[in-house]
Amino acid sequence: MTPLTTRLKTWLNTIPIKDPVQRQMAALLQVVLLGLMVVIVLATIALLVIPTNPVQETSQALKGNFMGFLVVLLPFLLLRRGYFRGAVLIIITILFITPALAITVVFDLHNSGGILFQFTLAIILSGLLVDRRTLGVVYGLSAVIVAFSAIQMQSGEPDLAGRSMETAVNFILFNGLMALFLDRFGITLRAALRDTLVRENELHDEIASRERAEKRFQLVVESAPNAILLVDRRGNIAMVNSQVEKYFGFDRADLAGTGVDRLVPERFRSQHPAYRDSFRADPQTRPMGAGRDLFGVRKDGSEFPVEIGLTPIEMQDGPMVMATIVDITERKGVEAQNRFLANLVASVSDAIVAVDLQQHIQSWNTGAEAMYGWREAEVLGQPAKEVLDTDFLKTTREAVTKQILEQGYWSGEVIQLHRDGTMIPALSSVSLYMNAEGKPAGIVAVNRDITERKHTDRQLERQNQRLNALREIDTAILASESIENIAGNALGHIRELIDCRRASLILIDWKSNEALTFSISSGDETSMRQGTRIPLLLSGDLLHTLSQNQPVLINDLSALTDPLPQFQAGIEEGFRSVCILPLFSQNNLIGSFNMSSEIPGFFDEEKINLGREVANQVAIAITQGGLINDLQKLTEELEQRVVERTLQLESANQELEAFSYSVSHDLRAPLRAINGFSLALSSKHAESIGEQGIHYLNRIQENTRHMGELIDDLLTLSRITRREMEAGDVNLSALAQEIAGELRTLEPERQVAFEIEDQLEVRGDAGLIRVVLHNLIGNAWKFTSARAQAHIRFGVASSLAVGDVRSDEGETVYFVQDNGVGFDMAYADKLFGAFQRLHTMAEFPGTGIGLATVQRIIHRHGGRIWVEAELDKGAAFYFTLGGSHEKQ
């Protein structure tokens, strides 16, 4: 086919006709019409070029050709525009009009065989190209015209008329039979042509599809990300792609024609032929080694996990198997990680729900099953909106979705639906997750049931409201200057807090045996008036219950058979429930705190408890108000007693000062005289007195010296008791070091190890505390004099349990410990008394006043002192100074 013919055919087929049969017929008609137009054009050219006829005849012929050209051009143009039926009808009409005019004018059927053939041609075209209705119309009209012409001819010559009638009958019968045939044949022809065209198109499509498939197969096999190889029936490799070379390390030339077992690890090769035979027995696309771990072996002998898919295909060389091999080394690692994450997700108590971008549920852990009541299999693939019916409390679903897509995260409180229809408050944290390409793939929500927290929050909120109200009531009560104000403030606040319609306070006058309506707070007009008195006899049962400190609760006044008058008045005012709470003062019933509501059963346990708390505060306030006068009187009496006691103490102190002066002056004078005369005798009359006399004089001097020390210690003890304390910061560690230095100076020959804790400070009188440490450390120095290696410690006791005495938590306990002679604890109770000694003067000197002085100083500081000792193993003195004063 030449290019010109190809282009012409393409052009003829390029018409807007959808029906394939009409398209084919239109193409054929276009060829016919084009041929006619070419013939007319050639005839016209011949008339013009070869002028054999006269001019008039030539002119007439040209006009006829022009009209014929126009008649042929019209249906051709209609076909190009896609009007197939219109074009065919025009052709049939032209074929029909010419014989019809000729017959009706000439009335000569015998000489009009060519004209009658046009009728027949019009009938054939109607049956083949149009439809049954058009066929019937064309045949009917032609039969009528022919019959009419034959009838008209009967008036002429007999032979001619007979031949015309015979011709008409033959025409009508022949064309009638042909019309019947064409009707069936035309339908069959069009259907066959349509089927042929469909099959032809399908064949072309199949050929093109196969060509494309072959090209795609080659392209896909070569560019596939996985290894693909073809294996023949004998198990030899027929073809491989580049990924096989990459996976296994072989060249294509090395693998072509070799057995596929070459790529299977040695430990699996013996089983491989049986697997091939099993596949050949039932060849179908399926994974290889389902349920088993598969491995491939590289050229260097190393193995790697693989996944293999088998597909049977028919090739020109016979049936083959296409094996698709995927290296799943990375996936195996991910699967281990995913398995861990899946177990982790499954073990989380929170609900974890994953949905795709269309909000269909893709994952549902055990926490979600427990929280919402749906099993995973029941909700997978379902719209999350229908399953959970999530209500975003402070925003909208659209806003949340927008934030997740833009920011990747959203968190907030939601309300969701349980399977049984109950609503679940939840704290939801929602994140956007991506696929391997980094594109959004879905949404994961971690939801925590906060029902208990919400319940707790509501309880705390109610408790806070309750505490705030009670605080306001308490503040109002404390700020009140009278019982009337106390009652008014309490009643107003309780009525607002509990939202009851009326609250009242009734006080009992036991002397008159009456109850007094003391105060009322009501939301509307009330018949109950302040100051109303009710005989107690009318409320005997109520009083008995109240006296037991129990509330009286009536949930429905209208249900009472014989209500008290005050209850009857409440019923008439519309009240239905009443709560009466007792008021006690010093274990005595003094009245009642009453609340009323128009709602039956209004007062629950919470309202009753709240009312009782207010009632108790009111009772306390009333009691306190009644005791103010007594307290003022008692305060005045105490102040008077303090003045009198102060005068007595001042007088006693003056007497003690006089006594101290007398002791210091009057007792020291005779002692000085005794000491002076004894010295004179020993110095001037030593020879006449003799050695025994001198010994007695020395004893007299020693005793007068000891008597002087006693007087000094007694005066010190007296001054300590009477002197005012001057509080300040005292460094105990520095004082102890100073005292230790003084003792070493007095007896430098002694070997004594001091262990004094650093940075011990206390708040107290520095002079008095120095006396304490001087006595305690001095005693330790004295009672370790018999030790070759003496050891004295001062510091803070680390344990709360010190000896037999337990110190208070937060209290600092100091100690002075030595390894001296110690003493028997049976005599410890005598240790802190004045003039009490556990050793003789010959063993250890002293007056017995020192520890008594220490005890008085410590007591003045608010502290305590005690001792632990063991005979010949040393002693430890523990003391406190009114709390913990150690500098941190």
Side-chain angles (χ1 to χ4, degrees):
M1 185 178 293
T2 63
L4 179 60
T5 307
T6 302
R7 286 198 297 272
L8 179 60
K9 184 178 179 181
T10 303
W11 180 72
L12 292 175
N13 285 316
T14 308
I15 51 178
I17 299 176
K18 296 182 178 179
D19 189 290
V21 175
Q22 292 183 359
R23 177 185 290 274
Q24 292 293 324
M25 292 180 177
L28 181 60
L29 283 176
Q30 287 182 95
V31 174
V32 174
L33 294 174
L34 279 176
L36 291 174
M37 286 189 289
V38 170
V39 171
I40 295 171
V41 170
L42 292 176
T44 303
I45 294 173
L47 287 173
L48 294 174
V49 174
I50 309 173
T52 57
N53 295 324
V55 175
Q56 187 175 1
E57 292 181 2
T58 302
S59 177
Q60 287 294 113
L62 290 174
K63 290 179 180 179
N65 289 344
F66 179 72
M67 290 301 298
F69 184 83
L70 292 177
V71 169
V72 175
L73 179 62
L74 178 60
F76 180 80
L77 293 177
L78 289 174
L79 289 174
R80 296 303 302 170
R81 299 287 293 178
Y83 299 106
F84 173 79
R85 187 180 181 87
V88 173
L89 290 176
I90 289 175
I91 294 172
I92 293 172
T93 302
I94 294 170
L95 291 174
F96 187 84
I97 289 174
T98 303
L101 291 175
I103 292 172
T104 56
V105 172
V106 178
F107 302 109
D108 185 6
L109 295 177
H110 180 72
N111 296 321
S112 304
I115 295 175
L116 292 177
F117 177 74
Q118 285 186 246
F119 275 147
T120 302
L121 185 58
I123 293 171
I124 292 173
L125 291 176
S126 298
L128 293 178
L129 300 181
V130 190
D131 53 21
R132 175 180 295 175
R133 184 172 56 184
T134 304
L135 174 62
V137 171
V138 173
Y139 168 71
L141 287 176
S142 64
V144 170
I145 293 173
V146 171
F148 174 75
S149 178
I151 295 170
Q152 291 294 324
M153 289 296 293
Q154 288 181 357
S155 61
E157 298 179 7
D159 292 336
L160 181 61
R163 289 196 297 271
S164 297
M165 184 59 68
E166 182 181 352
T167 301
V169 171
N170 290 334
F171 175 82
I172 293 172
L173 291 176
F174 174 77
N175 284 289
L177 292 173
M178 187 176 64
L180 292 174
F181 170 76
L182 288 173
D183 178 48
R184 303 310 304 168
F185 179 74
I187 295 174
T188 304
L189 177 64
R190 288 191 294 272
L193 182 58
R194 183 176 286 107
D195 292 340
T196 301
L197 291 174
V198 170
R199 286 195 296 272
E200 182 181 359
N201 291 332
E202 291 176 350
L203 180 60
H204 285 298
D205 292 342
E206 183 178 355
I207 293 172
S209 177
R210 287 186 178 181
E211 292 176 351
R212 290 193 300 270
E214 184 177 353
K215 292 180 181 178
R216 284 199 303 268
F217 176 77
Q218 294 175 352
L219 180 62
V220 168
V221 167
E222 192 57 37
S223 62
N226 303 320
I228 298 178
L229 51 85
L230 292 179
V231 181
D232 61 20
R233 292 180 61 85
R234 295 184 301 275
N236 294 326
I237 298 174
M239 187 197 74
V240 299
N241 69 345
S242 59
Q243 288 297 322
V244 173
E245 296 177 307
K246 181 179 179 182
Y247 279 9
F248 294 92
F250 291 99
D251 293 333
R252 299 185 190 210
D254 295 338
L255 294 175
T258 62
V260 73
D261 293 350
R262 187 178 183 182
L263 305 178
V264 178
E266 184 69 30
R267 52 199 172 102
F268 297 133
R269 289 179 185 173
S270 61
Q271 306 170 7
H272 200 251
Y275 294 144
R276 289 203 308 271
D277 294 340
S278 173
F279 182 79
R280 283 199 299 268
D282 183 20
Q284 56 180 319
T285 301
R286 62 185 178 184
M288 178 180 177
R292 301 191 307 272
D293 291 332
L294 302 180
F295 294 88
V297 61
R298 300 186 181 92
K299 185 177 181 178
D300 61 7
S302 61
E303 295 183 6
F304 62 100
V306 297
E307 198 173 74
I308 303 176
L310 303 178
T311 303
I313 59 175
E314 290 292 333
M315 304 293 288
Q316 293 181 353
D317 299 334
M320 289 191 179
V321 178
M322 184 177 70
T324 304
I325 304 173
V326 181
D327 184 351
I328 59 173
T329 302
E330 183 177 351
R331 188 199 303 173
K332 283 291 185 181
V334 174
E335 286 178 356
Q337 182 179 4
N338 288 343
R339 190 175 298 110
F340 169 76
L341 293 176
N343 293 333
L344 180 64
V345 169
S347 63
V348 172
S349 60
D350 292 340
I352 301 179
V353 181
V355 300
D356 58 20
L357 293 179
Q358 288 72 41
Q359 301 291 316
H360 291 90
I361 297 173
Q362 304 297 312
S363 178
W364 186 270
N365 74 334
T366 54
E369 292 182 347
M371 183 169 171
Y372 302 112
W374 294 98
R375 306 294 295 175
E376 182 181 23
E378 296 175 314
V379 298
L380 288 182
Q382 298 296 319
K385 183 178 180 181
E386 296 180 5
V387 175
L388 299 177
D389 193 22
T390 302
D391 181 15
F392 298 90
L393 298 179
K394 298 180 180 180
T395 183
T396 63
R397 181 181 299 273
E398 292 73 18
V400 171
T401 303
K402 180 180 179 182
Q403 179 177 332
I404 294 172
L405 293 176
E406 292 178 353
Q407 303 179 16
Y409 181 79
W410 179 85
S411 179
E413 291 187 8
V414 297
I415 300 294
Q416 296 177 319
L417 189 67
H418 190 272
R419 183 173 189 171
D420 61 9
T422 58
M423 307 306 292
I424 304 172
L427 179 62
S428 182
S429 297
V430 187
S431 300
L432 184 69
Y433 69 86
M434 306 294 181
N435 58 17
E437 290 75 25
K439 296 181 179 180
I443 297 171
V444 175
V446 180
N447 301 328
R448 174 167 296 177
D449 187 347
I450 57 174
T451 302
E452 290 297 327
R453 196 190 80 181
K454 284 292 185 182
H455 178 68
T456 302
D457 289 345
R458 286 193 294 270
Q459 286 184 325
L460 289 175
E461 184 178 0
R462 288 197 299 269
Q463 183 68 15
N464 288 334
Q465 292 175 348
R466 176 178 177 178
L467 292 176
N468 289 335
L470 291 175
R471 184 176 67 251
E472 291 177 1
I473 293 174
D474 189 46
T475 302
I477 289 175
L478 293 176
S480 300
E481 299 178 354
S482 64
I483 297 179
E484 289 81 0
N485 290 338
I486 292 173
N489 285 324
L491 294 177
H493 280 82
I494 195 64
R495 199 172 60 79
E496 293 178 1
L497 183 61
I498 297 182
D499 195 23
C500 60
R501 185 171 152 192
R502 179 191 294 171
S504 62
L505 178 67
I506 294 179
L507 297 180
I508 298 176
D509 185 354
W510 292 105
K511 295 180 179 180
S512 62
N513 207 27
E514 289 179 331
L516 173 65
T517 304
F518 189 78
S519 184
I520 300 172
S521 177
S522 181
D524 54 7
E525 291 294 327
T526 173
S527 61
M528 187 176 184
R529 293 288 179 259
Q530 185 172 340
T532 303
R533 291 183 172 269
I534 306 170
L536 293 182
L537 295 176
L538 298 178
S539 308
D541 294 337
L542 270 69
L543 286 176
H544 178 73
T545 303
L546 295 175
S547 63
Q548 302 297 319
N549 201 13
Q550 297 295 323
V552 174
L553 180 64
I554 302 175
N555 288 320
D556 192 352
L557 290 172
S558 62
L560 299 177
T561 55
D562 186 18
L564 295 172
Q566 57 267 39
F567 291 160
Q568 182 62 45
I571 294 173
E572 294 175 356
E573 291 185 56
F575 292 107
R576 288 296 178 266
S577 55
V578 173
C579 179
I580 305 175
L581 302 170
L583 293 178
F584 273 82
S585 175
Q586 298 179 338
N587 296 325
N588 295 318
L589 181 66
I590 62 172
S592 64
F593 194 86
N594 312 313
M595 299 178 291
S596 305
S597 173
E598 66 277 14
I599 303 173
F602 177 77
F603 298 99
D604 55 19
E605 185 176 357
E606 182 179 0
K607 294 183 178 67
I608 294 173
N609 290 335
L610 185 58
R612 294 202 71 156
E613 292 184 20
V614 177
N616 291 336
Q617 288 180 297
V618 171
I620 293 171
I622 292 174
T623 302
Q624 290 176 340
L627 294 177
I628 289 177
N629 293 334
D630 294 339
L631 182 61
Q632 290 178 343
K633 292 180 180 179
L634 180 60
T635 300
E636 293 174 357
E637 292 178 359
L638 288 176
E639 290 176 351
Q640 181 64 31
R641 291 178 184 177
V642 168
V643 171
E644 294 175 355
R645 182 61 175 168
T646 300
L647 293 175
Q648 293 175 359
L649 288 175
E650 290 178 352
S651 176
N653 285 334
Q654 291 176 357
E655 293 177 358
L656 185 59
E657 287 288 344
F659 174 74
S660 298
Y661 177 80
S662 175
V663 168
S664 176
H665 182 270
D666 296 343
L667 290 181
R668 285 183 185 277
L671 287 177
R672 284 195 296 271
I674 293 172
N675 190 47
F677 285 123
S678 62
L679 285 174
L681 285 173
S682 62
S683 60
K684 295 180 180 180
H685 304 282
E687 294 181 358
S688 59
I689 294 175
E691 184 177 351
Q692 187 68 28
I694 295 299
H695 172 70
Y696 290 149
L697 288 176
N698 290 337
R699 291 285 299 276
I700 291 171
Q701 291 175 358
E702 179 66 23
N703 280 282
T704 55
R705 184 186 62 77
H706 182 61
M707 185 63 181
E709 291 177 354
L710 282 174
I711 293 172
D712 291 339
D713 288 344
L714 283 174
L715 291 174
T716 300
L717 181 61
S718 175
R719 286 194 298 271
I720 288 172
T721 303
R722 292 181 291 106
R723 65 165 284 186
E724 291 185 4
M725 293 179 60
E726 296 180 0
D729 293 331
V730 181
N731 190 325
L732 298 178
S733 300
L735 281 180
Q737 293 286 3
E738 181 182 339
I739 294 169
E742 293 175 356
L743 294 173
R744 284 196 178 100
T745 301
L746 292 175
E747 298 181 71
E749 71 280 1
R750 288 192 56 185
Q751 299 294 322
V752 180
F754 279 94
E755 185 178 338
I756 299 173
E757 190 171 338
D758 294 332
Q759 300 301 319
L760 296 182
E761 294 188 2
V762 75
R763 186 79 176 167
D765 188 304
L768 295 180
I769 291 176
R770 192 181 197 288
V771 172
V772 170
L773 291 182
H774 191 277
N775 275 279
L776 295 178
I777 296 175
N779 281 350
W781 177 277
K782 177 170 61 178
F783 291 112
T784 57
S785 59
R787 299 287 190 242
Q789 292 294 330
H791 190 193
I792 300 174
R793 295 176 59 210
F794 170 66
V796 174
S798 58
S799 174
L800 292 178
V802 184
D804 292 335
V805 179
R806 182 172 181 85
S807 65
D808 296 332
E809 189 171 351
E811 186 180 39
T812 303
V813 178
Y814 305 94
F815 69 90
V816 176
Q817 185 183 45
D818 63 69
N819 63 339
V821 297
F823 58 87
D824 189 346
M825 283 295 292
Y827 305 103
D829 57 340
K830 299 181 179 180
L831 202 60
F832 297 102
F835 308 112
Q836 298 293 327
R837 294 177 51 83
L838 301 182
H839 302 279
T840 64
M841 287 290 296
E843 293 177 306
F844 300 100
T847 62
I849 301 295
L851 289 179
T853 303
V854 168
Q855 186 183 56
R856 290 195 180 184
I857 293 173
I858 289 176
H859 284 176
R860 292 197 68 187
H861 281 80
R864 297 171 293 139
I865 185 169
W866 65 97
V867 64
E868 288 290 330
E870 189 175 351
L871 193 61
D872 202 36
K873 290 187 178 181
F877 286 84
Y878 300 94
F879 63 93
T880 66
L881 292 169
S884 178
H885 301 280
E886 181 180 359
K887 179 172 286 187
Q888 299 299 321

